[in-house]
Amino acid sequence: MLRRRTTPQSSMQTNVGRQREFRVRIPDNVGPGQEFRVMCGGRLVRVVVPDGAATGQYLQISVPNNAAPSPSPPPVNPSSPRDRQQQAYISVRVPTGVQPGQQFRATIEGRDLMVTCPADTGAGDHVRIILPQSEAHFEVIVPCGLRAEQTFMVDVNGEHIALKVPKGVQVSAGQKLRFKMPKHMFAESRQKHHTPQLVYCNNQWRRRVQPDGLLSWTCSNPAQNDTPAFARFLFTPMQTLDFHSASDVTLTSSFRISSRRNLVSHSDLLRVHRQDFVSKCSWFNARCKELRVEWSEGHMRLNIRRDMVLEDSLAAINSMSAYDLRKIWKINFIGEDGLDAGGLSRELFELVSKTLLDPDMGLWQPSPNNPEEMEINPASGVYVDSHLELFRFFGKILGKALFDGQLVSGRFSPYMLKHLLGWPISLCDLQYLDSTYHNSLSQLLQLDQDGQDLSSLFLNFTVTLSAAGSSTTEELIPDGANVELTNEKLESYLEESLKHRVFTRIRPQLKELLLGFVEVIPEQLLVVFDVNELSLLLCGPTSIDLQDWMQNTKYEGDYALKKHDHPTCRWFWEIISNFDEKEKRRFLLFATGSSGVPGRGFEFLPGSDGSIHKFTLTSTDMSAHPKSHTCFNRIDLPVYESKDNLQEALLESMANSKEFTMD
């Protein structure tokens, strides 16, 4: 769609028959379906960005040769390189004595150009010329894994330019290829270089988009540049997990779901990470929906014995492929008249996560700083022989919960969430996960700063661990028992102590957890979230907001008219408000199949089909106790004559809510 407008934009042209082809760049902040103005062949047109196009890409448009030209724009100052990018035409004045058809010299930005005076133009008139763009050759290093005709990204003037490996060219990683690019882009690059970054709230680390499209970490706080920080690197093809300096760890910024289609690109990540939490969640859920296998293409039915929930779930889920994990699951508790429209699936996530996170099982343990937050138990193998199999299984459960918009029971230590996100972990993080250990390392730093001889402490590169009533000594480095701690070796000691505390001692368990997790959720989808947002997405808020709950409740039947002012409803909320946090979550589990609240609040309580189903109170007769329909977040609540009777009935229903019946 082309229409005449008013403000110019640069373009490149070729002639094709009665039409002229122009190559125009999509300006910043213009997306699919939006318009921008561009000058083409002496006229101004309006261009609508097609679906699938993004900021910075080039479009090819056609303009008829016989279209009427736009009015001449006012003279512009040709001295600014930015003006050349914004407007292809430069206005120059015809000198005195020059006739139509004659040439005159014009000096623009130090360049001597010969300009031919057009017909019907004379001395004193302004003519518009296109400034010739000289080209420069430049070389780029081929990223790993590229083949002929594949596209990769280079960074020019802070903008990402897509380049394609020429057809028939055999390339290998590290090889150099030569391309041509207008010189002015490099002139500006030397004056000002801007690299796209993902900036996270209250975090000193940022993710930088490299020219090859990889995401790398950079520290935004100069004071922390010398502080050791490490991040995990998961290489799924080889199923390996390593821990490197944060600045050396990279992640591809795109995820391809077919040979011709990306699920996510670096431009998506740059755009979405700036949005609010609700918008991020909507984007994330939409991407998961694209990955989800359609019901007609197959689904999974899991038959589970309630008294063998963990064993049956483990056998079923660990045998699934990544394709099966992204199918729709239907849960059947054997011997129960339950029809899973979503509520039984929620209950399965609740039961499995609660069992695995129980400290008595030995797989996870409370964080030293916060008993409510769980971290991997490095001695899990002492308690459970098949502990690694269970960690792979739990990784799939966590991924599937995120994929389906479900919650798990329990909360995780921030550094465990950082491992899921692939975030850097530094010595500063130790004070929040183990203040005692952090203080002991801080004392060593202070002694070193005070000039104390650390060798007098008779410490070496080992650490003592306690598990199952016994103590063991582990070496931080090979032969660490024979390496004495000195002032010169303090920096190395701190780095190795950090790596051991948050990585080395749990490496086998963490590797299995992450491999299971990424089978369901591509790492790129989580790049837009920070640690707090991931916690909300996976576990929900730390406390239940009763006002939010009440404001997002629907009333049906006899309760529809008076709503919360109906005597039974008023008593109901008074009873719930007197519950402690644990009792509120027990009731929520009875009503919805999950003890958690969505990170976005009760307004976004999901139903059986993934759509929003707000908590609902529906009136029934007195012949039955309160009954839950977890697939629809609904309670059938009889109209009681007294508050005491209502409370007694609620508590009895909650106590007997282990089995589900048909709606």
Side-chain angles (χ1 to χ4, degrees), residues 402-573:
L402 282 177
F403 192 79
D404 287 351
Q406 306 288 3
L407 299 172
V408 297
S409 176
R411 312 202 75 80
F412 298 93
S413 171
Y415 95 94
M416 292 306 308
L417 295 171
K418 286 192 173 185
H419 278 318
L420 288 178
L421 292 170
W423 274 31
I425 300 175
S426 68
L427 285 170
C428 298
D429 292 300
L430 281 181
Q431 62 183 312
Y432 303 111
L433 65 97
D434 192 339
S435 57
T436 301
Y437 192 56
H438 177 265
N439 290 338
S440 66
L441 296 180
S442 298
Q443 289 175 3
L444 293 177
L445 275 172
Q446 188 61 50
L447 290 174
D448 179 60
Q449 293 171 2
D450 294 342
Q452 298 291 321
D453 182 7
L454 296 184
S455 62
S456 64
L457 300 176
F458 301 103
L459 297 175
N460 55 22
F461 278 66
T462 63
V463 62
T464 301
L465 297 177
S466 298
S470 61
S471 297
T472 58
T473 299
E474 293 188 4
E475 295 182 330
L476 298 176
I477 59 175
D479 198 29
N482 297 318
V483 179
E484 183 183 28
L485 173 61
T486 63
N487 297 71
E488 292 75 19
K489 297 176 183 176
L490 177 59
E491 182 177 351
S492 175
Y493 180 82
L494 294 176
E495 291 184 7
E496 296 302 328
S497 297
L498 170 65
K499 287 193 286 187
H500 181 272
R501 176 62 180 83
V502 302
F503 178 73
T504 307
R505 68 179 191 158
I506 61 169
R507 182 205 290 255
Q509 299 94 322
L510 181 62
K511 183 184 80 169
E512 295 302 318
L513 182 78
L514 292 173
L515 286 173
F517 184 74
V518 300
E519 273 196 72
V520 190
I521 301 291
E523 289 192 76
Q524 291 79 2
L525 293 190
L526 296 180
V527 165
V528 299
F529 297 107
D530 61 29
V531 171
N532 293 330
E533 290 170 334
L534 179 59
S535 180
L536 282 174
L537 201 61
L538 190 59
C539 310
T542 55
S543 61
I544 294 176
D545 186 339
L546 188 61
Q547 284 299 118
D548 179 47
W549 192 352
M550 294 175 63
Q551 290 173 3
N552 289 286
T553 294
K554 290 176 59 179
Y555 300 88
E556 296 178 346
D558 293 343
Y559 305 142
L561 182 61
K562 293 186 177 181
K563 300 184 180 352
H564 56 78
D565 288 329
H566 189 284
T568 299
C569 295
R570 186 171 67 250
W571 294 333
F572 171 83
W573 289 117

Side-chain angles (χ1 to χ4, degrees), residues 237-532:
M238 299 297 293
Q239 299 208 347
T240 58
L241 178 66
D242 293 306
F243 207 48
H244 300 295
S245 175
S247 58
D248 295 332
V249 175
T250 59
L251 174 70
T252 55
S253 60
S254 62
F255 182 81
R256 189 175 291 274
I257 57 177
S258 68
S259 59
R260 297 182 179 181
R261 182 166 168 244
N262 276 339
L263 177 70
V264 60
S265 66
H266 75 276
S267 58
D268 295 325
L269 301 180
L270 288 168
R271 172 178 54 84
V272 176
H273 96 280
R274 301 186 183 96
Q275 298 176 355
D276 57 42
F277 179 63
V278 173
S279 300
K280 289 180 183 180
C281 290
S282 298
W283 175 85
F284 175 80
N285 292 334
R287 301 291 79 74
C288 289
K289 186 176 181 180
E290 290 185 61
L291 284 175
R292 183 172 292 114
V293 179
E294 294 292 338
W295 175 271
S296 58
E297 297 180 15
H299 52 277
M300 304 298 294
R301 179 171 293 277
L302 280 67
N303 295 312
I304 307 294
R305 293 168 291 178
R306 187 174 286 277
D307 59 346
M308 300 286 285
V309 168
L310 184 59
E311 293 82 355
D312 290 351
S313 301
L314 174 66
I317 295 173
N318 263 9
S319 64
M320 293 183 187
S321 65
Y323 185 74
D324 291 334
L325 290 169
R326 292 172 181 164
K327 290 179 179 178
I328 297 172
W329 291 2
K330 290 297 177 183
I331 310 301
N332 173 44
F333 283 107
I334 298 174
E336 300 179 17
D337 295 330
L339 178 64
D340 186 18
L344 299 185
S345 296
R346 281 202 291 269
E347 190 190 10
L348 179 67
F349 288 115
E350 176 86 17
L351 293 175
V352 169
S353 57
K354 185 176 182 179
T355 302
L356 292 176
L357 290 172
D358 187 346
D360 291 338
M361 188 169 186
L363 297 178
W364 295 76
Q365 64 185 13
S367 172
N369 273 23
N370 188 345
E372 298 296 322
E373 297 174 346
M374 306 303 291
E375 64 179 27
I376 292 175
N377 183 354
S380 59
V382 175
Y383 299 93
V384 184
D385 291 337
S386 59
H387 67 129
L388 296 182
E389 182 183 13
L390 286 170
F391 276 106
R392 175 73 71 103
F393 166 66
F394 193 41
K396 295 177 181 180
I397 286 291
L398 295 179
K400 182 62 173 175
L402 282 177
F403 192 79
D404 287 351
Q406 306 288 3
L407 299 172
V408 297
S409 176
R411 312 202 75 80
F412 298 93
S413 171
Y415 95 94
M416 292 306 308
L417 295 171
K418 286 192 173 185
H419 278 318
L420 288 178
L421 292 170
W423 274 31
I425 300 175
S426 68
L427 285 170
C428 298
D429 292 300
L430 281 181
Q431 62 183 312
Y432 303 111
L433 65 97
D434 192 339
S435 57
T436 301
Y437 192 56
H438 177 265
N439 290 338
S440 66
L441 296 180
S442 298
Q443 289 175 3
L444 293 177
L445 275 172
Q446 188 61 50
L447 290 174
D448 179 60
Q449 293 171 2
D450 294 342
Q452 298 291 321
D453 182 7
L454 296 184
S455 62
S456 64
L457 300 176
F458 301 103
L459 297 175
N460 55 22
F461 278 66
T462 63
V463 62
T464 301
L465 297 177
S466 298
S470 61
S471 297
T472 58
T473 299
E474 293 188 4
E475 295 182 330
L476 298 176
I477 59 175
D479 198 29
N482 297 318
V483 179
E484 183 183 28
L485 173 61
T486 63
N487 297 71
E488 292 75 19
K489 297 176 183 176
L490 177 59
E491 182 177 351
S492 175
Y493 180 82
L494 294 176
E495 291 184 7
E496 296 302 328
S497 297
L498 170 65
K499 287 193 286 187
H500 181 272
R501 176 62 180 83
V502 302
F503 178 73
T504 307
R505 68 179 191 158
I506 61 169
R507 182 205 290 255
Q509 299 94 322
L510 181 62
K511 183 184 80 169
E512 295 302 318
L513 182 78
L514 292 173
L515 286 173
F517 184 74
V518 300
E519 273 196 72
V520 190
I521 301 291
E523 289 192 76
Q524 291 79 2
L525 293 190
L526 296 180
V527 165
V528 299
F529 297 107
D530 61 29
V531 171
N532 293 330

